[in-house]
Amino acid sequence: MIEIGSRARTLPAPPAVVWDSLVEPRRPGTRPWLHLLADEVDPRVLAAEKPGQVTWSSLWPSRPDDRIHFALTASPDGGTLLRFTLLTPGEAPDQSKTGHLRRRLNQLLFADLRFSYGQ
């Protein structure tokens, strides 16, 4: 697998809560955060090991073999250090597409998911 991009940031919720959000992003009773664009689809959870790892299928039908791996660790402030790694078994996309994929994951995780926790 080729790494297309990776980024880590902290979220205010503890790892078990973030893990639940990633494993079941549309769980009833939680604030919606997985706001997809017209060219995106809901991910499938391909692997999950609570509370430290989750792997999603691709959000992009145009890149069906890509995978998004999440690593979650507790941060000193009681929140979570969340790292996403976008992987592909094939060729990496061009720079423009790569930038778009990274930006979308940054938006979904480090803005939309973060704000769903009230911060």
Side-chain angles (χ1 to χ4, degrees), residues 11 18 21-22 33 82 108-109 111-117:
L11 297 175
V18 175
S21 296
L22 294 171
W33 66 272
L82 175 66
L108 290 169
L109 300 168
D112 299 345
L113 179 58
R114 170 187 301 281
F115 297 145
S116 78
Y117 300 131

Side-chain angles (χ1 to χ4, degrees), residues 37-61:
L37 300 178
D39 67 339
E40 297 172 340
V41 296
D42 280 336
R44 291 182 334 276
V45 174
L46 302 175
E49 186 177 316
K50 193 169 189 172
Q53 296 185 25
V54 177
T55 302
W56 277 0
S57 64
S58 178
L59 298 172
W60 304 281

